Amino acid sequence: MVESLLKQYGYTDRQIKQFLESYPIGLYREETLFEYIKRNYSFFESLGYTNEQIIKMSLDFPKVYTYSSSVLSSKLDFLKSLGFSDEQVIKISSGKSRFFSVSTDSLKIKIEYMKSLGCLESDILKIFLNSQVLYSASLASIEQKVSSLESLGYTKDQIIKMTVKFPEIIGLSFSSLRQRISEFENLGYTKDEILRMTVTFPAVYSYSMDNI
């Protein structure tokens, strides 16, 4: 029953196998799962999601089919309240489907923290569009990374600029950041030159030295 429904929606055999073997999908009775999938596929389709976006979303985060329409709507309404257009809401939620698993309260707290650092709402929107860092990182880890970057010599304003350009910097370890600075120093760069360079192009922290 479920397999036939997924084929009807355009899932390949490989995708069906991946979906049905994922957690927690295998825990549901087939009749229940059939109704969940049918309900939420129609929900997303009515909002303008493409077939490809719905399939990708369900494979990245299968549990999205088990949420009620009211829960899904509240999550999407939260994004709209931040100022995103309908098209951007679809782009964010389909590309970063684990967004649905994060409480809006925790996101609000992290957004307020970013604002307290001086981050503009337009910058926060860019971070949301380009990265999952505000979904995946805890407030404590974000605070710790800001503190670590300050200890390396960056100002809060520079940290914001770096995070907007390269949000993934929040997920890099302090030891890897410090090591990269040491590597640049060994090449003859001064500390000020390294700080200016990495504020302008923070993604350099993720490159191997062979590619620099």
Side-chain angles (χ1 to χ4, degrees):
M1 188 180 348
V2 170
E3 187 172 339
S4 296
L5 181 64
L6 293 175
K7 284 185 177 180
Q8 177 185 325
Y9 288 151
Y11 287 75
T12 65
D13 289 340
R14 181 184 62 78
Q15 290 172 329
I16 291 173
K17 183 175 187 296
Q18 177 186 336
F19 176 76
L20 294 178
E21 292 179 353
S22 62
Y23 178 85
I25 298 305
L27 302 179
Y28 289 92
R29 293 173 59 243
E30 186 167 18
E31 295 80 3
T32 302
L33 186 58
F34 179 89
E35 292 302 324
Y36 283 170
I37 294 172
K38 194 173 180 181
R39 177 195 66 198
N40 286 4
Y41 186 95
S42 296
F43 171 82
F44 287 119
E45 189 176 44
S46 70
L47 293 178
Y49 289 76
T50 66
N51 174 261
E52 291 76 14
Q53 287 172 325
I54 298 173
I55 290 176
K56 179 183 183 301
M57 191 161 50
S58 67
L59 293 176
D60 290 343
F61 187 59
K63 196 174 181 180
V64 74
Y65 270 141
T66 69
Y67 290 153
S68 68
S69 299
S70 60
V71 169
L72 295 173
S73 293
S74 67
K75 302 280 188 180
L76 299 177
D77 287 344
F78 171 73
L79 288 178
K80 291 179 184 178
S81 73
L82 296 177
F84 289 111
S85 66
D86 290 344
E87 183 179 350
Q88 289 173 322
V89 168
I90 291 175
K91 177 183 177 182
I92 293 170
S93 56
S94 62
K96 307 171 181 64
S97 50
R98 288 192 179 275
F99 157 77
F100 288 109
S101 70
V102 182
S103 77
T104 53
D105 286 341
S106 69
L107 286 173
K108 288 176 184 177
I109 292 172
K110 285 183 272 191
I111 287 172
E112 288 305 313
Y113 173 70
M114 296 299 289
K115 286 182 178 178
S116 74
L117 297 178
C119 198
L120 301 175
E121 287 192 8
S122 58
D123 291 333
I124 293 172
L125 296 187
K126 289 178 183 177
I127 295 173
F128 260 97
L129 280 171
N130 299 321
S131 172
Q132 299 195 47
V133 67
L134 288 180
Y135 319 143
S136 58
S138 67
L139 176 62
S141 65
I142 294 174
E143 290 175 328
Q144 184 178 38
K145 185 50 54 67
V146 170
S147 177
S148 296
L149 288 168
E150 286 182 311
S151 73
L152 293 174
Y154 295 101
T155 65
K156 282 187 171 64
D157 183 57
Q158 289 174 323
I159 293 170
I160 289 172
K161 289 179 181 178
M162 295 168 71
T163 304
V164 172
K165 291 179 180 178
F166 182 61
E168 291 76 9
I169 196 168
I170 297 297
L172 299 179
S173 69
F174 176 68
S175 60
S176 68
L177 296 174
R178 187 170 52 186
Q179 179 181 344
R180 181 50 47 85
I181 289 175
S182 295
E183 290 169 341
F184 280 127
E185 287 177 331
N186 291 337
L187 291 175
Y189 290 90
T190 66
K191 185 65 175 293
D192 286 342
E193 288 174 332
I194 296 169
L195 294 180
R196 286 198 301 271
M197 174 176 59
T198 51
V199 168
T200 301
F201 190 62
V204 73
Y205 273 124
S206 66
Y207 292 179
S208 71
M209 290 303 290
D210 293 336
N211 294 328
I212 297 177

